[in-house]
Amino acid sequence: QVQLVESGGGLVQPGGSLRLSCVASGSFFRLNIMGWYRQAPGKQRELVATITRGGMINYEGSVKGRFTISRDNDRNTVSLQMNSLKPEDTAVYYCNADYRATIATMRYLEVWGQGTLVTVSS
């Protein structure tokens, strides 16, 4: 079983920065794709950014150039540096990962963190 724990959310003024971090713990063989999603009030959860184990990155269009995703495979962490924050970035941010439970299985399972609130407001 794998757990993801996020940290780093909070209140920030427009134009400010925040860094979110997520650490995976528990029993697993290998993490595959890790990423961040967000859900604003009254809206569906949406992709923010993902990163593969090999470092291939995908960003949602509105965050390109402002957000940077990174990961540390040795420490089982993924981070999201958010700069030039806008009020429309306000949301609960969720860490996500898919993983192989054991070396013997090729099936990938998915896990979500509990979410961390980011509020961008003056």
Side-chain angles (χ1 to χ4, degrees):
Q1 192 171 358
V2 178
Q3 297 84 39
L4 299 178
V5 178
E6 303 107 331
S7 61
L11 173 64
V12 63
Q13 292 186 341
S17 298
L18 279 177
R19 184 177 181 86
L20 305 182
S21 296
C22 171
V23 59
S25 63
S27 177
F28 57 92
F29 167 61
R30 178 174 291 171
L31 298 169
N32 187 34
I33 298 173
M34 301 186 76
W36 291 92
Y37 291 72
R38 66 187 179 186
Q39 187 166 18
K43 295 188 177 181
Q44 291 188 332
R45 191 174 299 188
E46 64 175 4
L47 168 74
V48 176
T50 59
I51 182 168
T52 69
R53 186 171 182 83
M56 292 183 64
I57 291 172
N58 178 50
Y59 291 108
E60 187 272 330
S62 69
V63 309
K64 284 182 180 178
R66 301 189 298 123
F67 291 9
T68 303
I69 189 171
S70 60
R71 69 187 281 173
D72 184 328
N73 291 331
D74 292 333
R75 297 181 179 181
N76 298 318
T77 61
V78 62
S79 298
L80 186 69
Q81 177 65 43
M82 305 185 294
N83 298 329
S84 302
L85 282 161
K86 305 175 180 180
E88 51 263 42
D89 294 317
T90 296
V92 177
Y93 284 70
Y94 295 91
C95 180
N96 173 272
D98 58 16
Y99 66 97
R100 285 171 60 186
T102 70
I103 193 172
T105 179
M106 295 303 297
R107 178 187 176 194
Y108 285 91
L109 303 176
E110 184 180 38
V111 61
W112 292 88
Q114 81 286 355
T116 186
L117 177 62
V118 172
T119 303
V120 185
S121 175
S122 55

